[in-house]
Every structure is written in structure tokens, then in C-alpha cells.
Amino acid sequence: MSTVIAPRPILKWAGGKQGLAKQLVGLFPDGFRTYYEPFFGGGSVLFTLRPGRAVVGDLNHWLLDTYRAVRDDPAGVARQLDGMANTKAEYERIRAIAPEGRGLVERAAQFIYLNKTCFRGLFRVNKKGRFNVPYGAYDRRYYDPANLEAVAGCLQGVEIRATDFESCLADVQADDFVYLDPPYFKQGGYSDFDRYTPGKFREPDHARLAALCRKLDASGVRWALSNSDTPHVRELFDGFRLTTLTNRRDINLDARSRTISELLITNYA
Ligand SMILES: C[S@@+](CC[C@H](N)C(=O)[O-])C[C@H]1O[C@@H](n2cnc3c(N)ncnc32)[C@H](O)[C@@H]1O
């Protein structure tokens, strides 16, 4: 019989919250009906919280199809992954396969494999939507079968919506709770670069998000939102409760990191 372990992210995702997840969850409200997470990414917050009922969303379709496959057929995904070797030739062969038209399980294994063996776990596609990150040459296991099973267990009953955050939250109700972790606002003009989706998350998107948070607040929905600690973000969320958290982040290609502070904005005490 396999031992049940606590789920950890199965993907390396820019802006991943592993380092902060426990602290964040400690700042969430005690009781709520359904947990919503419309910028799901690597999923570290849901995997730490493990709520009873949840709806998750993201604009990256390939990412969310991967979670669907893992939720519904973890053994099938594991079988595919077991047949993939961590070599440059195999990486280039798998990267060249067009994901369109492949089954959900095959696409999920392709995504996990490429994400964990590519250079620094970047998600980058070219204009034709083809994954174009070079091989990472890391001598390590790219998936843990017990963790894949634990993640599948955590995703049971979770509704997965591959859509923009506004439509993901269209049916939120007053006793639900929403955690929002958008691409962070960047000081100096435009917002975060396009590392997750072909489009960028720009200043108007941050304004749209702040407007939605005010609307949710007016309907009695509790929410918590992470973002960079910048004057613009503080201005957008003026009137809400701000908590400063410190997190370690990679800053450059030689993988050094530094501690930076960021905001958790909440509409509840
Ligand atoms: C900072 S990451 C979330 C990281 C996640 N909390 C974790 O721990 O890995 C932001 C996510 O927002 C997604 N995203 C970008 N624009 C979006 C939009 N308009 N609606 C929904 N999701 C979006 C990206 O694909 C990315 O996965």
C-alpha cells in the first residue's frame, strides 16, 4: 500500500508561492464554503490549503489541461512519464511533437516533462504556439510518482476553468473565499512580462482586477490578493488592509535569489 504524502507542485512555475504558502494560508479566513483561485499557476497555495470545495482557473490552457489529466488519470500520466528519458535527444524529440490533437494524458505528460527538464522551468512559446525553451541538462528526477498521486488526490472534486479571472469568478457567492495571485505589477510602465501566456498582464488588467475586487467586496465576498509592493498597487487597493510579507525570489540566470517584500491585500480583518 502506498503512503499518502502532502502534495507539492508538480511544475516549476514563475512566481510560485511555495515559500510563502504556509504563511498565506495562515492569513486566510477560518471558514468558507467554496475556495476560488483564478490565477492557479503551480498550485502551491491550494496544495497547502487542501480545501473541501474549490474552483481553480488560469489563462494557460496547456497548464490546466495538465491538471485535468492528473486529476482524472494519474496512473495514465505516470505511465507516459515513465517512458521518457532525461536526455537532450529525447527532450528535442518530445518538444517537437505538436500537442494539438493529442490525448489529454499524452499532452499532460509532455507538459510536465518539458517543464521539468527545460532550462529553468520557463514557459515560453513562439508565435505559432510551439514550446521553444532549450534543454536544461539537470541531473534530477523530473517527477515523483507518490507526489503525482497526492496531487491527483487533492484535485478530486476541484473544478478547473481555463479562462480569464473575471469569468472564473462569475458565480462566486458571499460565503466563498477567493485568493488572487496575478502576474505582479512591475514598476515602470507595463506589467509583468509574458512568461505564462502569449498575452501580457498589463496595467489595464490590474485596474480591471482591482475593480472586480471592489465589486466582490460590495457583494460580501472575502478575498486576499498578492501583488508587488509598489505605489501604484497601494493606490489601486486604497482602503483595504495591507500586510507586508517577505519572500525569496530568483533574480537572474545564475539562480541567485534575494529577499523582497510584497503585499497581501485583504478585505477582511
Ligand atoms: C503569479 S502566477 C500564479 C502562481 C501560483 N500562485 C503558484 O503558486 O504557482 C500568475 C498566473 O496567472 C495566469 N494568468 C495570466 N493572465 C491571466 C488572466 N487574465 N486570467 C487568469 N489567469 C491569468 C498565468 O498563466 C499564471 O499562471
Side-chain angles (χ1 to χ4, degrees):
M1 205 176 81
S2 60
T3 336
V4 180
I5 59 163
R8 299 182 314 276
I10 51 173
L11 300 164
K12 184 166 163 56
W13 210 247
K17 283 285 180 294
Q18 286 97 298
L20 272 185
K22 278 208 177 103
Q23 211 182 329
L24 286 169
V25 165
L27 294 166
F28 288 176
D30 279 339
F32 42 85
R33 199 180 65 109
T34 303
Y35 172 74
Y36 280 76
E37 195 178 333
F39 300 95
F40 190 54
S44 48
V45 180
L46 179 102
F47 300 150
T48 304
L49 180 66
R50 288 186 263 164
R53 295 163 60 110
V55 174
V56 302
D58 200 287
L59 211 47
N60 187 318
H61 289 248
W62 201 352
L63 172 79
L64 289 195
D65 278 349
T66 297
Y67 290 123
R68 277 198 192 106
V70 169
R71 179 192 63 191
D72 299 341
D73 188 4
V77 176
R79 256 195 312 278
Q80 291 283 325
L81 284 166
D82 286 336
M84 297 170 167
N86 189 358
T87 63
K88 188 162 189 269
E90 177 78 332
Y91 177 86
E92 285 170 357
R93 183 187 73 78
I94 291 170
R95 190 181 60 174
I97 303 170
E100 304 84 32
R102 301 190 87 196
L104 204 60
V105 163
E106 287 75 16
R107 263 188 295 139
Q110 184 184 13
F111 192 73
I112 295 169
Y113 173 87
L114 291 176
N115 173 272
K116 294 303 282 285
T117 57
C118 78
F119 183 64
R120 285 179 59 79
L122 294 170
F123 181 85
R124 195 182 63 205
V125 291
N126 63 18
K127 287 209 174 75
K128 290 181 183 151
R130 288 278 169 276
F131 194 78
N132 67 356
V133 181
Y135 181 56
Y138 305 116
D139 184 18
R140 63 173 182 222
R141 216 161 52 147
Y142 53 85
Y143 97 103
D144 170 358
N147 186 47
L148 195 75
E149 222 176 276
V151 165
C154 183
L155 290 174
Q156 292 312 301
V158 173
E159 196 182 323
I160 297 175
R161 300 179 176 170
T163 183
D164 178 69
F165 65 89
E166 277 198 84
S167 42
C168 177
L169 297 177
D171 56 359
V172 178
Q173 291 179 17
D175 44 0
D176 297 334
F177 172 65
V178 186
Y179 171 62
L180 307 116
D181 186 20
Y184 280 10
F185 177 79
K186 267 211 174 150
Q187 195 77 51
Y190 71 94
S191 185
D192 225 339
F193 67 97
D194 53 347
R195 50 190 174 179
Y196 315 101
T197 53
K200 289 183 168 127
F201 201 82
R202 295 172 185 275
E203 215 168 303
D205 295 306
H206 283 280
R208 191 161 65 87
L209 180 56
L212 176 65
C213 287
R214 289 188 189 278
K215 204 171 121 197
L216 293 175
D217 182 58
S219 345
V221 177
R222 285 168 301 171
W223 51 259
L225 177 139
S226 291
N227 211 329
S228 51
D229 190 356
T230 60
H232 184 60
V233 170
R234 284 177 175 262
E235 192 184 311
L236 279 175
F237 290 94
D238 187 35
F240 294 111
R241 172 180 284 255
L242 305 180
T243 307
T244 308
L245 304 175
T246 50
N247 195 8
R248 287 190 76 71
R249 282 206 178 267
D250 293 351
I251 45 165
N252 55 24
L253 294 183
D254 62 14
R256 267 182 296 174
S257 62
R258 66 181 168 134
T259 302
I260 54 159
S261 69
E262 58 177 68
L263 292 177
L264 183 73
I265 306 160
T266 57
N267 70 335
Y268 56 89

